[in-house]
Each structure stands twice: as structure tokens, then as C-alpha cells.
Amino acid sequence: MIVDTTGASAETSSQDGLGYSGVAASHQMASTDHSRLNYYRQQIFEAANAKNMDPAIIAAIISRETRAGAALAADGTGDHGNGFGLMQVDYRYHTPVGGPYSTEHIKQGTQILIDTINCVQQRHPSWTAEMALKGGISGYNAGCGNVQSYAGMDVDTTGDDYANDVVARAQWLKAHGF
């Protein structure tokens, strides 16, 4: 809740036809996805408990990656066939486990996030835990090596706003039951 964020870019907010960007746009998109996220609430909370991760962060990634499943093909893929499941585990770098909507899949995506946060902490030992969390969220999308600086961490992420958008969505979701 205390991680700084600028929210969604105009490119990202245009998915929903919003005429604005920033934190308000991220909050609106999280609100739009909220009822679909509630459908996966049990799986999200099980994965969060198993991996010691805030469920709001997991839910926010699911919102951003697949609009809580709404953007997935019938076979559970997305990203032109490169991603799998609610958290879009990338076939090019990982072997997905479980079904696309399963707790097993969400646990795998959450572990990938945790590993990326740890990688960012190792690469930037002077960063606070909050900075490493935000960097790890950025790295979940673009890889740990893309996180060169705190101010520029979202450069070359999808929409150039991935971590900022996910953090803002997580803040809204935390305030609304996740």
C-alpha cells in the first residue's frame, strides 16, 4: 500500500476506452476486473498463503495479464500463444504447470514473481523492500535484467507502465477485499 506509483499509461488505459491515464485508470481497470477476480478468489488466496505473497499483488497481476481471464483464448493461452494461464507463464522461459485457472498455475506464477523480486534485490542491494517489490513486478513482465534503475524500471515493459499499473491495481484491490 505504500509503494509509489504513477498508474497506467494512456496506452494501457485505452484497452478500456478510458480517456485518462494514471492511478485512477488503474483503479478503474481493477474495478472492472473485480467480479471476475472474485471467481478465482479461493485459488488466489491459496497461492498467496502457500507462497507468503499478498493476494492483492497476485490478483493485480492476473488483472493486468489477462483481465482476470477475459483475454485468454479457449485453451488458456494469450500473448500470441506465448503465455499460459491467468498469470501468463511464458512458454519461452518456463514449463507451465497445472491448468490455466488452477491454484497450481497461480502458485507457479507467484514463485516466478518471488524469484524475480529476489533477483532484483540481489542486483540492487541498496533498494528498500518496497522498491525491490516494484522492481520484481516490472521484472515479472520484462525480466530481472531489464530493471536497471528505479525511475526507469518500466522502460521496455508492456505499455512502459507494467509495475506502476500493477501496483496501483493492487492498492485498489487491497482496499476492496484482496
Side-chain angles (χ1 to χ4, degrees), residues 92-170:
R92 295 169 293 187
Y93 305 100
H94 306 281
T95 301
V97 298
Y101 308 97
S102 69
T103 302
E104 189 177 17
H105 163 72
I106 297 171
K107 284 180 183 178
Q108 180 186 26
T110 303
Q111 187 61 55
I112 293 167
L113 173 63
I114 291 166
D115 293 345
T116 309
I117 293 166
N118 290 335
C119 176
V120 168
Q121 283 180 315
Q122 290 174 350
R123 293 177 69 111
H124 302 283
S126 65
W127 286 13
T128 65
E130 291 79 13
M131 294 167 79
L133 170 64
K134 188 175 176 184
I137 292 168
S138 175
Y140 183 85
N141 177 256
C144 179
N146 190 66
V147 183
Q148 300 292 317
S149 69
Y150 189 74
M153 73 172 57
D154 271 343
V155 172
D156 293 331
T157 64
T158 305
D160 290 328
D161 68 345
Y162 190 87
N164 279 291
D165 181 33
V166 168
V167 166
R169 290 184 199 217

Side-chain angles (χ1 to χ4, degrees), residues 37 40-66 68 86-88 102-103 105-111 113-114 133 137 140 162 166 169-170 173-174 178:
L37 286 166
Y40 305 108
R41 182 180 199 78
Q42 180 179 341
Q43 295 97 308
I44 292 168
F45 275 84
E46 283 180 32
N49 288 334
K51 298 294 183 178
N52 195 30
M53 176 59 63
D54 191 315
I57 295 169
I58 298 169
I61 289 173
I62 292 170
S63 172
R64 170 64 187 236
E65 289 287 344
T66 65
L86 291 169
M87 293 187 75
Q88 287 296 275
S102 69
T103 302
H105 163 72
I106 297 171
K107 284 180 183 178
Q108 180 186 26
T110 303
Q111 187 61 55
L113 173 63
I114 291 166
L133 170 64
I137 292 168
Y140 183 85
Y162 190 87
V166 168
R169 290 184 199 217
L173 290 163
K174 185 76 167 175
F178 273 93

